[in-house]
Amino acid sequence: MAKTEKSAADPAASDKTGSPVDPEGIPEDIEVLASLSPDFVADPYTAFRRLRERGPVHRVLGPDRGVVWLVVGYEAAREAFVSPRLSRDWHREYRQPGWTPPYALNMLGNANMLMSDPPHHTRLRKLVAQEFTARRVEGMRRRVQEITDELLDGMTKDGARSADLIEAFASPLPMIVISELLGVPDLDRAAFHAWSNETLAPTSPEAEREAYEQIMPYLAGLIADKRENPGEDLLSALVHTADEGGDRLTGDELVSLAFLLLVAGHETTVNLLGNAVRALFAHPGQLAAVRADPAGLAAGLVEETLRYDGPVVTTTPRIALEETEIAGVRVPRGAIVLIAMAAADHDPERFPDPEHFDVRRGDARSNVSFGHGVHFCLGAPLARLEGEVALRTLLERCPELAEDGEPGEWLPGMLIRGRRTLPVRW
Ligand code: HEM
C-alpha cells in the first residue's frame, strides 16, 4: 500500500499522521482497515460500514500504518468538527515521542488557516472571506463556462471520439479557474502540477524539499509583484485588504494562503468531476436521467457525488489537546483524530439506503463532504459552481459519453479519492 497522501495545504497529513507503529507488532485492540476491506483504497466504504455498524468512533491502523481515532458516524462527525478540544494547530501540542515534524510544517508554520485554531484562525479567515466572497465566485460563472467550452472544443477537435477525461478536462479546468481567480494566468501548469504532486505525495524527502524550495519563492515573487502592480484578481485584493482595525495579512501568511488555495482549489475538484462521471457510468439509469436533463439535474449530480463518492475521504488530522469524548467514546489526550466524511455520508441513520446513488436524493446537500464548523471549506461555492457547469456542459456536448476501458490506478492514501486516468469515448 502506498503512503497516505500528504497535503501541503496540510503538511500534518503526512505518512506519520498517527503515532508511529512498531512494525513487529500491532496492538491487539486496534482495528486494521486493510483487514476490514482488503483493498481499502479501492473500497473504503466496506471497512467504514463494518466499523460504523459497531459504533461511531474507532481506534484504527490506516493504510499509512499510523494509529488514529477514526470518526465514522454522521452525528459523531459533526460533533468532532466543532469540538474545541480537537486542534488543527500542530505546533500547539503535538509532542509525541518519535515524531519529527514534516519539512512542510516548518516551511508553512501555522500561517495558513487550515493549520490554525481560533482565535488565530478567525483572524485569517475573516481577512480572506472579506475578499473571497460569494459575489466574486458568482462573477466567475461566465468565465468557468468559457473555460469549460474551450476545453471541450480541444477534447473533441478534429472529430476526436475518445480521450482521458482527467487529462483533457477534469484536471485543467479547476487549475485554470483557480489560477485566473488568484491572478496567475501564466502559471506554468505542468510545473505547478509536478510541484503540487510532490508536496501531496512526495517521492522522497529531497524531492519534497526541492518542490517547496521552488514553489515558495515563486509565490513570494508573485505576491511582491501584486503589491507593486495590483490587478482585479483575488491575490491583489488579499495583498491590500485590511479589516476595520487596519489588520493585514503578513507576507508569510499571503504565501501560505496562496499555496493553500492553489492546492485545495485543484486536487479536490478534479476528483469531484472524475468521481461523478464514474458514478454515472456505474449507474446507467442515472446516466440516462442526467443525459435527458443535464441542466435540471447537474446540481443534484454534484451533491449526490459529494455524498456518495466525494473527492475527500477523511479530514486533515486533528490532535486532542486534552482527554475528550466523541459520541460518548473516550479519546485520550494526544490522540490523532481523523473524521471520515466518506463514512459519515454513508450513515444510514442520516441517509436512508446510503449505498444507492440517486441524483434526485432530496437531502444529499446535508453531506459533510466540505467539512463543518470553522474550517468548513472556503471554496465550496466555487467547487459547486465548477461541478455544475462542467458536468452539465460535458453531458450536453457529449451525450453519448461512455467508458472506454479500465480507469487508471487509485490515488493512494486516505485523503483524496479518485482515479489517475478515466478513458472515455463519445
Ligand atoms: C469538491 C471540492 C472540494 C472539497 C470536497 C473540499 C473539501 C474541504 C474540506 C473537507 C475542508 C475542511 C478540512 C478540515 O476541516 O480538516 C476544506 C477546507 C478548505 N478548502 Fe476545500 N474542498 C473543495 C474545493 C475547494 C476549492 C475549490 C477551494 C479554493 C478555491 C478550497 C479551499 C479550501 C480552504 C481555503 C479550506 C480551509 C478553510 C479553513 O481552514 O477555514 N476547497 N475543503
Side-chain angles (χ1 to χ4, degrees):
M1 178 75 59
K3 315 193 245 193
T4 290
E5 285 199 28
K6 174 163 80 165
S7 153
D10 176 32
S14 73
D15 51 343
K16 289 188 180 166
T17 39
S19 341
V21 170
D22 174 3
E24 293 303 310
I26 298 161
E28 267 176 21
D29 62 333
I30 290 181
E31 301 279 358
V32 182
L33 289 178
S35 69
L36 292 167
S37 174
D39 192 355
F40 176 79
V41 174
D43 174 22
Y45 297 107
T46 299
F48 291 156
R49 177 174 47 76
R50 290 188 174 144
L51 286 175
R52 208 181 36 240
E53 281 166 1
R54 282 185 279 135
V57 182
H58 298 266
R59 190 165 170 238
V60 302
L61 182 66
D64 58 356
R65 305 193 60 77
V67 175
V68 296
W69 292 76
L70 192 69
V71 182
V72 292
Y74 181 86
E75 284 306 329
R78 287 175 60 96
E79 185 185 327
F81 269 122
V82 298
S83 167
R85 297 202 172 100
L86 299 179
S87 169
R88 281 289 307 138
D89 182 353
W90 288 65
H91 284 101
R92 225 168 121 178
E93 274 292 324
Y94 194 32
R95 300 282 181 270
Q96 297 208 22
W99 190 82
T100 333
Y103 178 71
L105 191 60
N106 292 330
M107 192 84 189
L108 293 173
N110 61 354
N112 109 24
M113 68 185 122
L114 188 50
M115 292 165 60
S116 59
D117 295 331
H120 185 48
H121 170 270
T122 321
R123 170 183 165 263
L124 293 174
R125 178 121 181 178
K126 187 175 162 208
L127 283 164
V128 178
Q130 172 166 304
E131 298 300 337
F132 194 2
T133 55
R135 196 160 156 203
R136 188 181 285 271
V137 171
E138 205 38 51
M140 289 291 288
R141 184 176 287 274
R142 214 179 60 200
R143 191 61 198 125
V144 171
Q145 184 68 61
E146 282 168 7
I147 298 165
T148 299
D149 290 337
E150 283 161 22
L151 287 169
L152 290 175
D153 286 347
M155 188 173 102
T156 55
K157 184 170 82 184
D158 300 331
R161 307 296 302 175
S162 64
D164 168 13
L165 194 69
I166 303 292
E167 189 188 352
F169 186 57
S171 178
L173 174 65
M175 178 64 95
I176 298 172
V177 170
I178 193 69
S179 48
E180 287 197 8
L181 179 74
L182 283 174
V184 206
D186 56 350
L187 178 75
D188 181 342
R189 291 207 294 273
F192 185 82
H193 194 64
W195 295 340
S196 108
N197 269 349
E198 204 51 67
T199 53
L200 279 168
T203 48
S204 70
E206 295 71 38
E208 180 191 14
R209 177 179 293 258
E210 206 173 299
Y212 276 107
E213 282 173 359
Q214 289 180 352
I215 198 165
M216 292 319 213
Y218 169 81
L219 292 175
L222 192 69
I223 285 159
D225 184 50
K226 301 281 176 197
R227 224 179 269 287
E228 293 297 307
N229 310 297
E232 294 295 303
D233 55 83
L234 179 60
L235 210 47
S236 297
L238 289 169
V239 168
H240 295 276
T241 199
D243 72 6
E244 58 281 7
D247 184 22
R248 288 174 184 280
L249 294 165
T250 66
D252 281 354
E253 285 166 353
L254 283 164
V255 172
S256 194
L257 175 65
F259 188 72
L260 173 66
L261 290 172
L262 278 168
V263 174
H266 176 238
E267 300 287 340
T268 47
T269 314
V270 175
N271 295 298
L272 168 64
L273 302 180
N275 294 0
V277 171
R278 276 192 301 101
L280 288 177
F281 289 162
H283 299 85
Q286 299 287 315
L287 176 58
V290 181
R291 234 180 224 156
D293 183 12
L297 291 178
L301 171 60
V302 168
E303 289 314 318
E304 181 65 343
T305 302
L306 288 165
R307 185 202 69 79
Y308 174 81
D309 197 20
V312 187
V313 180
T314 58
T315 49
T316 49
R318 282 151 169 79
I319 176 158
L321 298 175
E322 53 194 270
E323 182 177 310
T324 185
E325 276 196 0
I326 307 171
V329 178
R330 194 190 72 84
V331 174
R333 178 175 184 280
I336 311 302
V337 177
L338 285 185
I339 305 164
M341 286 87 76
D345 285 336
H346 282 234
D347 187 340
E349 299 274 314
R350 181 63 193 82
F351 299 104
D353 200 4
E355 309 308 326
H356 179 60
F357 178 71
D358 180 1
V359 299
R360 295 190 179 92
R361 186 185 281 273
D363 58 353
R365 203 176 161 103
S366 53
N367 69 75
V368 285
S369 187
F370 288 118
H372 176 61
V374 296
H375 292 287
F376 179 81
C377 178
L378 184 73
L382 179 62
R384 285 185 161 125
L385 168 66
E386 289 181 74
E388 283 174 37
V389 171
L391 293 166
R392 172 181 51 72
T393 314
L394 174 67
L395 285 160
E396 281 169 355
R397 299 257 319 243
C398 304
E400 300 305 315
L401 193 74
E403 275 179 288
D404 193 26
E406 266 298 293
E409 63 180 25
W410 291 100
L411 294 166
M414 274 175 85
L415 189 62
I416 302 280
R417 177 164 170 81
R419 298 276 206 167
R420 287 199 192 276
T421 59
L422 181 52
V424 295
R425 61 189 157 76
W426 54 88

